Amino acid sequence: MRKINRHFRYYLLLSFLFFNTLLFSEIAINEDYLLKSIYEGVNFTNVTPYPISSSDELEAYPGFFYKSFDPLWLIGGVFQSNWSDLERGVYLSDSLPYVTGFMGGYDGGNLRVISGMYFFDPFLTEEELERQMDTSFDRNSDRKGISNFGYKDPSKSLFIHRVEFLFFKNRVRLSLNELNLVGGKYPDLSDANLFGIAHNNFGEGFSNNMLGIDLSIIPLDGWQLYGQFAMDDFLVPGTESGAINYKPTALAWGLGTRYVTETSKYYISPKFEYYKIYTWIYNHWLPSLKFTAKYNGEEIPIGFDYGNDMEGFLIGLDIFNEKIKYKFILEYYLKGEIDLNTSYEDERKSEVDGWAGPYGETEPFFSISFKFEVKI
């Protein structure tokens, strides 16, 4: 009989802010504005924080600043960031408690260009540093076989670029995203280049790139269909980068639907989401190039909250107004044997049939969470 691993998480959060929430009237800092837009039958961007309207003044908020150069804008400081309609985004979500860095973009109405530059704690344990400095595994690197050279600068940063299109009177939103994770060296201008598609790093081996696509459709006012896709790697047989003992196919996606309605006091939005997280996504043989970030020594995935090698669904309910917010989530997944600490040298990586996962003996993963927020 399989052991059932039940994870019950109950969150009761009272957030008493030391400023009036009207101060955030210019900035969407969570999904509330997105949900209100869905109720009205139009798509707003799923990126937060994001300016709702322009302002000529430099505005300071707790932790960050905002400046508009209409149609350009810039946000910098410490803030929570999310780039997904999904509750658990698959390439950049609010799984991270906060990010430190900058966001900026161009808002042309039906066309938006958005970029982020985030910096993470680069600390490595002795074992991780030893793995980080071992160049023998990265066969595409020009540092292959050269001991104690490269990969070891204490730096880890993420550059993300998005082009977002709106069609059919804002009923359809499509975005194309590129993520460039740079670790083991201090980033330079070529890493942040908006036009460096796929960021060919000339074999240096300091970058791990990911493709992200998301789509939102509002067929009727208040009803949204949405999805997100991430591709870390895709095996191409017969090429060096497609060798089975090198980088396995690593994908992730989520699909969802929600309905938003309004009562005399609250917006109410139930939703259902399905996730497929491949076995080896977010992982890497170099610790500084794993799609994770460390907070107080804990390693957290930058994408899907629970890591890799999972498949399952989420049922959620959001209830909110200008002063109060409730969030209830029920989740059920099957978790495979592989996690983000599994070494790339693990012999199970060569089993092609397990790349889609969940791999091997699976365990049920069950979670219930409740969040209550008061905004003063």
Side-chain angles (χ1 to χ4, degrees), residues 111-131:
L111 171 66
R112 299 186 180 108
V113 179
I114 308 171
S115 292
M117 179 172 60
Y118 305 136
F119 303 97
F120 302 121
D121 182 356
F123 173 78
L124 297 176
T125 65
E126 291 185 10
E127 182 179 355
E128 289 172 334
L129 182 60
E130 183 179 356
R131 170 69 270 182

mmCIF file of all heavy atoms in Angstrom, residues 111-131:
data_model
loop_
_atom_site.group_PDB
_atom_site.id
_atom_site.type_symbol
_atom_site.label_atom_id
_atom_site.label_comp_id
_atom_site.label_asym_id
_atom_site.label_seq_id
_atom_site.Cartn_x
_atom_site.Cartn_y
_atom_site.Cartn_z
ATOM 1 N N LEU A 111 0.044 46.594 -27.994
ATOM 2 C CA LEU A 111 1.377 45.997 -27.989
ATOM 3 C C LEU A 111 2.123 46.464 -26.753
ATOM 4 O O LEU A 111 2.218 47.664 -26.489
ATOM 5 C CB LEU A 111 2.154 46.392 -29.244
ATOM 6 C CG LEU A 111 3.640 45.998 -29.256
ATOM 7 C CD1 LEU A 111 3.788 44.478 -29.293
ATOM 8 C CD2 LEU A 111 4.364 46.631 -30.436
ATOM 9 N N ARG A 112 2.626 45.504 -25.984
ATOM 10 C CA ARG A 112 3.431 45.838 -24.812
ATOM 11 C C ARG A 112 4.764 45.099 -24.893
ATOM 12 O O ARG A 112 4.815 43.940 -25.307
ATOM 13 C CB ARG A 112 2.722 45.432 -23.513
ATOM 14 C CG ARG A 112 1.391 46.118 -23.263
ATOM 15 C CD ARG A 112 0.855 45.745 -21.897
ATOM 16 N NE ARG A 112 -0.423 46.372 -21.611
ATOM 17 C CZ ARG A 112 -1.585 45.723 -21.578
ATOM 18 N NH1 ARG A 112 -1.610 44.416 -21.817
ATOM 19 N NH2 ARG A 112 -2.706 46.350 -21.312
ATOM 20 N N VAL A 113 5.806 45.765 -24.477
ATOM 21 C CA VAL A 113 7.115 45.133 -24.314
ATOM 22 C C VAL A 113 7.505 45.311 -22.856
ATOM 23 O O VAL A 113 7.518 46.437 -22.340
ATOM 24 C CB VAL A 113 8.180 45.771 -25.229
ATOM 25 C CG1 VAL A 113 9.527 45.100 -25.011
ATOM 26 C CG2 VAL A 113 7.762 45.650 -26.696
ATOM 27 N N ILE A 114 7.788 44.214 -22.161
ATOM 28 C CA ILE A 114 8.068 44.250 -20.725
ATOM 29 C C ILE A 114 9.369 43.501 -20.456
ATOM 30 O O ILE A 114 9.594 42.425 -21.015
ATOM 31 C CB ILE A 114 6.925 43.602 -19.911
ATOM 32 C CG1 ILE A 114 5.572 44.205 -20.301
ATOM 33 C CG2 ILE A 114 7.165 43.769 -18.414
ATOM 34 C CD1 ILE A 114 4.385 43.482 -19.699
ATOM 35 N N SER A 115 10.214 44.060 -19.612
ATOM 36 C CA SER A 115 11.467 43.409 -19.242
ATOM 37 C C SER A 115 11.659 43.467 -17.735
ATOM 38 O O SER A 115 11.218 44.420 -17.079
ATOM 39 C CB SER A 115 12.662 44.085 -19.933
ATOM 40 O OG SER A 115 12.635 43.862 -21.319
ATOM 41 N N GLY A 116 12.321 42.452 -17.213
ATOM 42 C CA GLY A 116 12.678 42.422 -15.802
ATOM 43 C C GLY A 116 14.129 42.012 -15.639
ATOM 44 O O GLY A 116 14.666 41.220 -16.430
ATOM 45 N N MET A 117 14.758 42.553 -14.619
ATOM 46 C CA MET A 117 16.144 42.221 -14.282
ATOM 47 C C MET A 117 16.191 42.014 -12.771
ATOM 48 O O MET A 117 16.065 42.955 -11.999
ATOM 49 C CB MET A 117 17.097 43.346 -14.712
ATOM 50 C CG MET A 117 18.553 43.092 -14.388
ATOM 51 S SD MET A 117 19.654 44.340 -15.127
ATOM 52 C CE MET A 117 19.035 45.863 -14.378
ATOM 53 N N TYR A 118 16.326 40.758 -12.341
ATOM 54 C CA TYR A 118 16.239 40.412 -10.930
ATOM 55 C C TYR A 118 17.554 39.776 -10.468
ATOM 56 O O TYR A 118 18.179 39.001 -11.190
ATOM 57 C CB TYR A 118 15.096 39.418 -10.689
ATOM 58 C CG TYR A 118 13.756 39.885 -11.193
ATOM 59 C CD1 TYR A 118 12.909 39.021 -11.890
ATOM 60 C CD2 TYR A 118 13.305 41.195 -10.977
ATOM 61 C CE1 TYR A 118 11.663 39.437 -12.347
ATOM 62 C CE2 TYR A 118 12.078 41.611 -11.429
ATOM 63 C CZ TYR A 118 11.257 40.734 -12.123
ATOM 64 O OH TYR A 118 10.036 41.165 -12.571
ATOM 65 N N PHE A 119 17.937 40.072 -9.227
ATOM 66 C CA PHE A 119 19.191 39.573 -8.668
ATOM 67 C C PHE A 119 18.892 38.712 -7.446
ATOM 68 O O PHE A 119 18.102 39.086 -6.577
ATOM 69 C CB PHE A 119 20.106 40.745 -8.283
ATOM 70 C CG PHE A 119 20.400 41.671 -9.433
ATOM 71 C CD1 PHE A 119 19.674 42.841 -9.606
ATOM 72 C CD2 PHE A 119 21.380 41.356 -10.357
ATOM 73 C CE1 PHE A 119 19.930 43.688 -10.666
ATOM 74 C CE2 PHE A 119 21.647 42.189 -11.431
ATOM 75 C CZ PHE A 119 20.920 43.372 -11.586
ATOM 76 N N PHE A 120 19.559 37.544 -7.370
ATOM 77 C CA PHE A 120 19.291 36.578 -6.310
ATOM 78 C C PHE A 120 20.534 36.312 -5.475
ATOM 79 O O PHE A 120 21.668 36.586 -5.895
ATOM 80 C CB PHE A 120 18.797 35.261 -6.911
ATOM 81 C CG PHE A 120 17.559 35.400 -7.752
ATOM 82 C CD1 PHE A 120 17.561 35.028 -9.082
ATOM 83 C CD2 PHE A 120 16.392 35.932 -7.217
ATOM 84 C CE1 PHE A 120 16.419 35.159 -9.857
ATOM 85 C CE2 PHE A 120 15.249 36.074 -7.983
ATOM 86 C CZ PHE A 120 15.269 35.681 -9.319
ATOM 87 N N ASP A 121 20.315 35.743 -4.300
ATOM 88 C CA ASP A 121 21.401 35.360 -3.405
ATOM 89 C C ASP A 121 22.266 34.301 -4.102
ATOM 90 O O ASP A 121 21.778 33.219 -4.434
ATOM 91 C CB ASP A 121 20.811 34.801 -2.114
ATOM 92 C CG ASP A 121 21.869 34.424 -1.089
ATOM 93 O OD1 ASP A 121 23.070 34.513 -1.403
ATOM 94 O OD2 ASP A 121 21.484 34.023 0.033
ATOM 95 N N PRO A 122 23.567 34.569 -4.316
ATOM 96 C CA PRO A 122 24.409 33.620 -5.054
ATOM 97 C C PRO A 122 25.098 32.585 -4.171
ATOM 98 O O PRO A 122 25.931 31.816 -4.667
ATOM 99 C CB PRO A 122 25.451 34.541 -5.699
ATOM 100 C CG PRO A 122 25.639 35.624 -4.676
ATOM 101 C CD PRO A 122 24.280 35.832 -4.016
ATOM 102 N N PHE A 123 24.770 32.539 -2.886
ATOM 103 C CA PHE A 123 25.503 31.674 -1.961
ATOM 104 C C PHE A 123 25.417 30.210 -2.390
ATOM 105 O O PHE A 123 24.350 29.691 -2.732
ATOM 106 C CB PHE A 123 24.945 31.823 -0.551
ATOM 107 C CG PHE A 123 25.530 30.837 0.428
ATOM 108 C CD1 PHE A 123 26.791 31.034 0.966
ATOM 109 C CD2 PHE A 123 24.835 29.692 0.789
ATOM 110 C CE1 PHE A 123 27.347 30.126 1.852
ATOM 111 C CE2 PHE A 123 25.373 28.775 1.670
ATOM 112 C CZ PHE A 123 26.639 28.992 2.204
ATOM 113 N N LEU A 124 26.564 29.531 -2.352
ATOM 114 C CA LEU A 124 26.649 28.103 -2.627
ATOM 115 C C LEU A 124 27.320 27.400 -1.452
ATOM 116 O O LEU A 124 28.260 27.941 -0.858
ATOM 117 C CB LEU A 124 27.462 27.831 -3.902
ATOM 118 C CG LEU A 124 26.915 28.385 -5.219
ATOM 119 C CD1 LEU A 124 27.910 28.104 -6.342
ATOM 120 C CD2 LEU A 124 25.560 27.798 -5.544
ATOM 121 N N THR A 125 26.842 26.214 -1.127
ATOM 122 C CA THR A 125 27.538 25.401 -0.135
ATOM 123 C C THR A 125 28.857 24.910 -0.730
ATOM 124 O O THR A 125 29.098 25.044 -1.936
ATOM 125 C CB THR A 125 26.677 24.196 0.273
ATOM 126 O OG1 THR A 125 26.513 23.347 -0.874
ATOM 127 C CG2 THR A 125 25.302 24.644 0.768
ATOM 128 N N GLU A 126 29.723 24.331 0.117
ATOM 129 C CA GLU A 126 30.996 23.820 -0.386
ATOM 130 C C GLU A 126 30.774 22.771 -1.469
ATOM 131 O O GLU A 126 31.486 22.747 -2.485
ATOM 132 C CB GLU A 126 31.808 23.224 0.770
ATOM 133 C CG GLU A 126 32.325 24.261 1.761
ATOM 134 C CD GLU A 126 33.227 23.643 2.816
ATOM 135 O OE1 GLU A 126 33.602 22.458 2.653
ATOM 136 O OE2 GLU A 126 33.565 24.341 3.777
ATOM 137 N N GLU A 127 29.796 21.908 -1.262
ATOM 138 C CA GLU A 127 29.506 20.870 -2.255
ATOM 139 C C GLU A 127 28.991 21.485 -3.552
ATOM 140 O O GLU A 127 29.391 21.062 -4.653
ATOM 141 C CB GLU A 127 28.472 19.902 -1.689
ATOM 142 C CG GLU A 127 28.132 18.752 -2.622
ATOM 143 C CD GLU A 127 27.113 17.801 -2.016
ATOM 144 O OE1 GLU A 127 26.741 17.980 -0.826
ATOM 145 O OE2 GLU A 127 26.678 16.879 -2.731
ATOM 146 N N GLU A 128 28.108 22.489 -3.436
ATOM 147 C CA GLU A 128 27.589 23.147 -4.627
ATOM 148 C C GLU A 128 28.682 23.893 -5.374
ATOM 149 O O GLU A 128 28.728 23.886 -6.608
ATOM 150 C CB GLU A 128 26.469 24.115 -4.235
ATOM 151 C CG GLU A 128 25.182 23.431 -3.788
ATOM 152 C CD GLU A 128 24.183 24.403 -3.221
ATOM 153 O OE1 GLU A 128 24.592 25.476 -2.701
ATOM 154 O OE2 GLU A 128 22.978 24.108 -3.274
ATOM 155 N N LEU A 129 29.584 24.551 -4.645
ATOM 156 C CA LEU A 129 30.683 25.272 -5.284
ATOM 157 C C LEU A 129 31.612 24.313 -6.027
ATOM 158 O O LEU A 129 32.087 24.617 -7.134
ATOM 159 C CB LEU A 129 31.463 26.075 -4.248
ATOM 160 C CG LEU A 129 32.619 26.927 -4.801
ATOM 161 C CD1 LEU A 129 32.096 27.938 -5.815
ATOM 162 C CD2 LEU A 129 33.357 27.627 -3.664
ATOM 163 N N GLU A 130 31.851 23.149 -5.446
ATOM 164 C CA GLU A 130 32.682 22.149 -6.112
ATOM 165 C C GLU A 130 32.033 21.707 -7.420
ATOM 166 O O GLU A 130 32.707 21.572 -8.442
ATOM 167 C CB GLU A 130 32.889 20.946 -5.189
ATOM 168 C CG GLU A 130 33.798 19.882 -5.772
ATOM 169 C CD GLU A 130 34.003 18.707 -4.828
ATOM 170 O OE1 GLU A 130 33.492 18.764 -3.677
ATOM 171 O OE2 GLU A 130 34.660 17.729 -5.235
ATOM 172 N N ARG A 131 30.718 21.481 -7.382
ATOM 173 C CA ARG A 131 30.001 21.113 -8.603
ATOM 174 C C ARG A 131 30.011 22.272 -9.596
ATOM 175 O O ARG A 131 30.176 22.073 -10.810
ATOM 176 C CB ARG A 131 28.566 20.736 -8.232
ATOM 177 C CG ARG A 131 27.591 20.541 -9.362
ATOM 178 C CD ARG A 131 27.874 19.316 -10.203
ATOM 179 N NE ARG A 131 28.774 19.641 -11.309
ATOM 180 C CZ ARG A 131 29.172 18.790 -12.226
ATOM 181 N NH1 ARG A 131 28.773 17.535 -12.170
ATOM 182 N NH2 ARG A 131 29.969 19.173 -13.195
#
